[in-house]
Amino acid sequence: MKDKENPVSYSKRQQMLIWALESLPAAIRILDRSLAMVWENRRPPEQAALYDCKNRHAVHCYDYFPDKEGPCENCPAHRAFHSGRTESMDMVLCHGDKPAFYLVTTTPVAGPLKGEAALIVEVIQEFTSHMKADEELRRLHEFNKEIIDNAPVAIFTVSREGEFSSVNPA
Protein backbone atom coordinates (compact mmCIF):
# COMPACT_ATOMS: atom_id res chain seq x y z
CA MET A 1 0.00 0.00 0.00
CA LYS A 2 1.39 3.38 -0.96
CA ASP A 3 1.81 6.10 1.69
CA LYS A 4 -0.53 8.44 -0.24
CA GLU A 5 -3.33 5.86 -0.09
CA ASN A 6 -2.82 5.04 3.59
CA PRO A 7 -4.22 7.60 6.05
CA VAL A 8 -1.81 6.34 8.75
CA SER A 9 1.59 8.01 8.43
CA TYR A 10 4.81 6.04 8.09
CA SER A 11 6.00 7.03 11.59
CA LYS A 12 2.63 6.06 13.07
CA ARG A 13 2.85 2.64 11.35
CA GLN A 14 6.36 2.21 12.77
CA GLN A 15 5.07 3.00 16.25
CA MET A 16 2.17 0.59 15.81
CA LEU A 17 4.59 -2.15 14.75
CA ILE A 18 6.75 -1.53 17.83
CA TRP A 19 3.67 -1.62 20.07
CA ALA A 20 2.67 -4.93 18.48
CA LEU A 21 6.15 -6.41 18.99
CA GLU A 22 6.27 -5.13 22.57
CA SER A 23 2.98 -6.86 23.40
CA LEU A 24 3.95 -10.34 22.18
CA PRO A 25 4.63 -12.97 24.87
CA ALA A 26 8.09 -13.74 23.49
CA ALA A 27 11.54 -12.21 23.55
CA ILE A 28 12.15 -10.57 20.19
CA ARG A 29 15.55 -9.26 19.19
CA ILE A 30 17.03 -7.88 16.02
CA LEU A 31 20.67 -8.89 15.59
CA ASP A 32 23.35 -7.73 13.18
CA ARG A 33 26.00 -10.00 11.64
CA SER A 34 28.20 -9.75 14.76
CA LEU A 35 25.18 -10.90 16.83
CA ALA A 36 25.00 -7.46 18.44
CA MET A 37 21.46 -6.55 19.44
CA VAL A 38 20.15 -3.70 17.33
CA TRP A 39 16.75 -3.75 19.05
CA GLU A 40 14.89 -5.90 21.57
CA ASN A 41 11.36 -5.79 22.89
CA ARG A 42 10.52 -5.26 26.52
CA ARG A 43 11.10 -8.24 28.71
CA PRO A 44 7.83 -10.18 28.81
CA PRO A 45 6.94 -11.41 32.33
CA GLU A 46 6.58 -14.95 30.96
CA GLN A 47 10.28 -14.91 30.14
CA ALA A 48 11.70 -13.27 33.24
CA ALA A 49 14.04 -16.22 33.84
CA LEU A 50 15.63 -15.70 30.43
CA TYR A 51 16.66 -12.20 31.45
CA ASP A 52 17.63 -13.06 35.01
CA CYS A 53 21.32 -12.61 34.45
CA LYS A 54 24.19 -10.55 35.74
CA ASN A 55 24.72 -8.59 32.54
CA ARG A 56 21.80 -6.16 32.33
CA HIS A 57 23.54 -4.17 29.57
CA ALA A 58 24.05 -6.99 27.11
CA VAL A 59 25.47 -6.02 23.75
CA HIS A 60 25.38 -9.41 22.04
CA CYS A 61 22.66 -12.03 22.37
CA TYR A 62 25.05 -14.38 24.21
CA ASP A 63 26.01 -11.68 26.75
CA TYR A 64 22.88 -12.61 28.72
CA PHE A 65 24.54 -15.83 29.77
CA PRO A 66 27.36 -15.47 32.33
CA ASP A 67 29.08 -18.67 31.17
CA LYS A 68 29.15 -17.64 27.48
CA GLU A 69 31.95 -15.68 25.87
CA GLY A 70 30.77 -16.24 22.33
CA PRO A 71 27.89 -17.61 20.27
CA CYS A 72 26.12 -20.80 21.30
CA GLU A 73 27.21 -24.04 19.73
CA ASN A 74 25.01 -24.60 16.66
CA CYS A 75 23.89 -20.94 16.86
CA PRO A 76 20.65 -20.52 14.88
CA ALA A 77 21.48 -16.88 14.04
CA HIS A 78 24.79 -17.89 12.42
CA ARG A 79 23.01 -20.71 10.58
CA ALA A 80 20.30 -18.31 9.35
CA PHE A 81 22.90 -15.82 8.06
CA HIS A 82 24.64 -18.62 6.13
CA SER A 83 21.56 -20.52 4.90
CA GLY A 84 19.31 -17.53 4.21
CA ARG A 85 16.46 -19.52 5.80
CA THR A 86 14.68 -19.61 9.14
CA GLU A 87 16.63 -21.71 11.64
CA SER A 88 15.81 -22.82 15.18
CA MET A 89 17.13 -24.67 18.22
CA ASP A 90 15.94 -25.74 21.64
CA MET A 91 17.72 -24.22 24.62
CA VAL A 92 17.66 -25.25 28.27
CA LEU A 93 18.65 -22.72 30.91
CA CYS A 94 18.95 -23.67 34.55
CA HIS A 95 17.98 -21.07 37.11
CA GLY A 96 18.89 -22.59 40.44
CA ASP A 97 17.63 -26.16 40.31
CA LYS A 98 14.78 -25.42 37.90
CA PRO A 99 15.37 -25.91 34.17
CA ALA A 100 13.54 -23.63 31.73
CA PHE A 101 13.01 -24.74 28.12
CA TYR A 102 13.08 -22.31 25.19
CA LEU A 103 12.67 -22.42 21.43
CA VAL A 104 14.96 -19.95 19.65
CA THR A 105 13.88 -19.16 16.08
CA THR A 106 15.90 -16.88 13.82
CA THR A 107 14.84 -15.45 10.47
CA PRO A 108 17.08 -13.46 8.10
CA VAL A 109 16.00 -10.03 6.92
CA ALA A 110 17.10 -9.19 3.38
CA GLY A 111 19.76 -6.54 3.02
CA PRO A 112 20.49 -4.10 0.20
CA LEU A 113 22.47 -6.75 -1.71
CA LYS A 114 20.30 -9.42 -3.24
CA GLY A 115 20.53 -12.70 -1.36
CA GLU A 116 22.47 -11.34 1.60
CA ALA A 117 20.86 -11.04 5.01
CA ALA A 118 21.65 -7.77 6.77
CA LEU A 119 19.87 -8.56 10.03
CA ILE A 120 18.32 -11.46 11.90
CA VAL A 121 15.04 -11.42 13.79
CA GLU A 122 15.35 -13.73 16.79
CA VAL A 123 12.23 -14.90 18.62
CA ILE A 124 12.62 -16.77 21.90
CA GLN A 125 9.59 -18.58 23.29
CA GLU A 126 9.46 -20.46 26.57
CA PHE A 127 7.80 -23.86 26.49
CA THR A 128 8.63 -25.18 29.96
CA SER A 129 4.95 -25.71 30.84
CA HIS A 130 4.48 -27.73 27.63
CA MET A 131 7.48 -29.89 28.51
CA LYS A 132 6.11 -30.50 32.01
CA ALA A 133 2.67 -31.41 30.62
CA ASP A 134 4.27 -33.74 28.06
CA GLU A 135 6.31 -35.44 30.79
CA GLU A 136 3.20 -35.83 32.97
CA LEU A 137 1.30 -37.41 30.04
CA ARG A 138 4.21 -39.84 29.46
CA ARG A 139 4.25 -40.72 33.16
CA LEU A 140 0.47 -41.33 33.21
CA HIS A 141 0.69 -43.41 30.03
CA GLU A 142 3.38 -45.63 31.58
CA PHE A 143 1.38 -45.92 34.82
CA ASN A 144 -1.79 -46.95 32.96
CA LYS A 145 0.16 -49.35 30.75
CA GLU A 146 1.62 -51.04 33.84
CA ILE A 147 -1.87 -51.45 35.37
CA ILE A 148 -3.35 -52.87 32.17
CA ASP A 149 -0.39 -55.13 31.36
CA ASN A 150 -0.35 -56.60 34.89
CA ALA A 151 -4.11 -56.91 35.47
CA PRO A 152 -5.18 -60.49 36.31
CA VAL A 153 -8.28 -60.16 34.10
CA ALA A 154 -8.69 -59.47 30.41
CA ILE A 155 -8.93 -55.80 29.51
CA PHE A 156 -9.55 -54.73 25.95
CA THR A 157 -10.57 -51.62 24.08
CA VAL A 158 -12.84 -51.49 21.09
CA SER A 159 -12.76 -48.75 18.45
CA ARG A 160 -15.92 -46.96 17.32
CA GLU A 161 -15.92 -49.22 14.28
CA GLY A 162 -16.17 -52.28 16.56
CA GLU A 163 -12.56 -53.45 16.10
CA PHE A 164 -10.32 -54.47 18.98
CA SER A 165 -7.66 -51.78 19.33
CA SER A 166 -5.80 -53.28 22.32
CA VAL A 167 -5.91 -56.37 24.48
CA ASN A 168 -3.82 -56.95 27.59
CA PRO A 169 -1.79 -60.17 28.06
CA ALA A 170 -4.18 -61.74 30.64
Side-chain angles (χ1 to χ4, degrees), residues 8-157:
V8 179
S9 70
Y10 180 76
S11 63
K12 183 67 173 173
R13 286 192 310 239
Q14 280 182 311
Q15 188 60 48
M16 290 168 63
L17 177 60
I18 289 172
W19 289 336
L21 293 173
E22 295 284 6
S23 68
L24 294 174
I28 301 170
R29 302 171 179 160
I30 298 176
L31 310 174
D32 67 14
R33 286 192 159 274
S34 71
L35 303 183
M37 292 184 291
V38 176
W39 181 86
E40 65 179 322
N41 67 338
R42 282 189 226 132
R43 291 155 171 79
E46 299 85 4
Q47 303 221 344
L50 181 62
Y51 295 100
D52 185 22
C53 67
K54 295 176 182 163
N55 189 354
R56 301 277 182 216
H57 303 287
V59 174
H60 297 90
C61 55
Y62 52 83
D63 290 335
Y64 276 106
F65 313 110
D67 60 331
K68 294 277 186 198
E69 293 188 20
C72 297
E73 186 177 322
N74 201 22
C75 172
H78 273 276
R79 291 194 337 257
F81 273 124
H82 293 293
S83 72
R85 298 185 318 256
T86 296
E87 301 283 350
S88 63
M89 76 175 217
D90 291 343
M91 176 186 282
V92 180
L93 299 176
C94 290
H95 301 283
D97 62 344
K98 297 180 181 179
F101 299 88
Y102 299 93
L103 173 64
V104 180
T105 305
T106 57
T107 302
V109 177
L113 302 175
K114 187 176 181 177
E116 182 179 310
L119 299 169
I120 291 288
V121 175
E122 176 183 67
V123 178
I124 305 173
Q125 298 169 291
E126 184 175 3
F127 63 98
T128 303
S129 60
H130 298 287
M131 291 293 287
K132 287 179 181 177
D134 192 45
E135 182 58 36
E136 182 65 13
L137 285 174
R138 264 195 296 281
R139 191 187 66 72
L140 286 171
H141 171 75
E142 288 300 316
F143 178 74
N144 289 334
K145 184 177 179 333
E146 287 296 317
I147 290 172
I148 291 169
D149 287 349
N150 294 304
V153 295
I155 300 174
F156 54 90
T157 56

